[in-house]
């Protein structure tokens, strides 16, 4: 009898929801996390949605990593949850986050700068990742942790709420070079896993993707058309050399639609 119960629990699927129930579920359970960049939050009507995978695409030095660090700082500083930062190209810098603290709106908690920085950094967990197989292993370990978190019904500021991968293209692009379909299958499997984790555990997933040369010299996202269907939200960064002002436009969004643009300032 116990075995039958275990099998039943393990194979249990989420209930089917109709359109009205899905809308209500979004309103009640899928909240937003601030990006730390006012222009982006206005563009996205509040920030990165929990339960979704957001991708930031842009050329080198366009500010992709800076947005990731700003988002980590904002979520941690406002005690909205724990940030899990997977660093694939040595982009993470605790010193950069510390230097941005004074530029970020302070919380209502009265504390000196040193105490505030320590509190923020204690809520940002970083791990280096060097290949796609290591990434998948880490994601499965994280999923186990999230499952335990869900069992405890933790919904406070000590729950993992933001997963950042900077950059996911660094891990996936090398396995797409041949005609072998295994690399493409690994890419799609990784994307599906990230989306499932975001939805099942009320997690916001933020990944970055660089640009490569396309036809007639035009730049295009490195992971190609097969990946394009994976993210719920896809944002494109642009910038003029020497300027701190960045442009950002929506390439894809599940609720807002595409084509909207905004500008924001990158603080180095």
């Amino acid at each position: 009898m116990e075995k039958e119960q275990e099998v039943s629990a393990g194979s249990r699927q989420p209930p089917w929801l109709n359109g009205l129930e899905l809308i209500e579920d979004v309103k009640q359970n899928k909240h937003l996390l601030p990006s730390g960049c006012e222009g982006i939050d206005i563009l996205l009507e509040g920030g990165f949605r929990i339960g979704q995978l957001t991708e930031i695409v842009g050329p080198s030095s366009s500010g992709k990593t800076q947005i990731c660090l700003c988002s980590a700082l904002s979520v941690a500083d406002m005690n909205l949850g724990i940030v899990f930062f997977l660093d694939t190209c040595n982009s993470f810098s605790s010193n950069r986050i510390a230097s941005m603290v004074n530029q970020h709106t302070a919380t209502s908690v009265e504390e000196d700068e040193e105490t505030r920085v320590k509190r923020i950094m204690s809520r940002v967990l970083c791990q280096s990742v060097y290949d796609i197989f290591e990434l998948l292993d880490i994601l499965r370990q994280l999923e186990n942790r999230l499952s335990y978190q869900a069992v405890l019904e933790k919904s406070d500021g000590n729950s993992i709420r933001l997963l950042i991968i900077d950059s996911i293209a660094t891990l996936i692009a090398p396995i797409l070079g041949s005609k072998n379909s295994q690399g493409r299958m690994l890419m799609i499997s990784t994307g599906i896993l990230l989306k499932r984790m975001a939805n099942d555990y009320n997690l916001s997933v933020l990944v970055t993707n660089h640009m490569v040369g396309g036809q007639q010299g035009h730049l295009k996202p490195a992971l190609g058309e097969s990946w394009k269907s994976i993210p719920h939200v896809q944002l494109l960064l642009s910038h003029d050399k020497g300027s701190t002002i960045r442009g950002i436009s929506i390439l894809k969004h599940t609720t807002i639609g595409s084509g909207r643009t905004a500008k924001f300032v990158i603080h180095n």
Side-chain angles (χ1 to χ4, degrees):
M1 182 68 178
E2 290 182 358
K3 283 189 175 181
E4 290 179 358
Q5 291 177 340
E6 288 176 4
V7 171
S8 175
S11 61
R12 185 173 54 198
Q13 297 294 323
W16 288 90
L17 301 176
N18 62 37
L20 292 175
E21 290 171 329
L22 285 170
I23 293 174
E24 191 61 29
D25 180 61
V26 167
K27 289 180 180 179
Q28 292 185 359
N29 301 317
K30 309 303 183 187
H31 305 296
L32 297 165
L33 295 179
S35 69
C37 301
E38 184 178 3
I40 295 177
D41 288 345
I42 292 174
L43 182 69
L44 297 179
E45 299 181 352
F48 302 126
R49 188 172 295 278
I50 287 179
Q52 292 192 345
L53 168 60
T54 301
E55 178 188 40
I56 299 176
V57 184
S60 176
S61 302
S62 58
K64 300 185 294 296
T65 294
Q66 193 74 358
I67 292 173
C68 291
L69 296 176
C70 284
S71 301
L73 165 61
S74 182
V75 171
D77 192 22
M78 298 174 69
N79 295 322
L80 298 176
I82 301 296
V83 180
F84 202 74
F85 196 114
L86 296 181
D87 181 8
T88 73
C89 46
N90 296 320
S91 61
F92 182 83
S93 171
S94 56
N95 290 333
R96 283 175 68 181
I97 292 180
S99 68
M100 292 189 298
V101 167
N102 289 331
Q103 299 159 0
H104 186 262
T105 303
T107 61
S108 58
V109 179
E110 292 186 7
E111 56 190 347
D112 58 63
E113 182 178 338
E114 183 179 356
T115 302
R116 185 182 176 200
V117 170
K118 287 182 178 180
R119 176 177 58 81
I120 291 170
M121 296 312 302
S122 69
R123 305 178 70 78
V124 180
L125 309 178
C126 179
Q127 186 165 347
S128 296
V129 189
Y130 299 104
D131 63 57
I132 187 65
F133 302 103
E134 186 178 11
L135 173 64
L136 290 170
D137 185 51
I138 290 172
L139 291 179
R140 292 186 184 104
Q141 292 178 37
L142 177 60
E143 188 171 24
N144 290 334
R145 176 171 175 173
L146 290 167
S147 298
Y148 183 66
Q149 175 179 291
V151 168
L152 296 179
E153 296 183 345
K154 291 175 63 177
S155 59
D156 56 14
N158 292 317
S159 302
I160 298 173
R161 283 290 169 257
L162 177 61
L163 169 61
I164 298 173
I165 306 177
D166 185 32
S167 121
I168 196 166
T170 300
L171 303 181
I172 294 177
I175 65 175
L176 298 178
S178 67
K179 295 182 180 180
N180 191 332
S181 62
Q182 183 180 5
R184 200 168 302 278
M185 290 173 61
L186 277 172
M187 177 181 72
I188 299 301
S189 297
T190 302
I192 292 173
L193 174 59
L194 289 171
K195 290 174 72 173
R196 177 165 56 79
M197 290 172 63
N199 182 74
D200 290 354
Y201 303 109
N202 282 335
L203 188 70
S204 182
V205 178
L206 176 63
V207 303
T208 64
N209 184 4
H210 58 264
M211 307 283 281
V212 295
Q215 293 182 348
Q216 300 179 342
H218 295 297
L219 294 176
K220 63 179 183 179
L223 297 184
E225 292 297 317
S226 297
W227 173 263
K228 187 177 179 180
S229 63
I230 295 294
H232 296 95
V233 179
Q234 194 174 40
L235 306 175
L236 175 63
L237 283 176
S238 61
H239 77 294
D240 295 323
K241 290 185 178 180
S243 174
T244 59
I245 299 177
R246 300 293 189 268
I248 187 164
S249 57
I250 299 177
L251 296 179
K252 174 185 174 184
H253 200 293
T254 54
T255 58
I256 297 176
S258 60
R260 294 179 56 177
T261 64
K263 291 186 180 295
F264 63 98
V265 178
I266 284 288
H267 298 283
N268 296 317

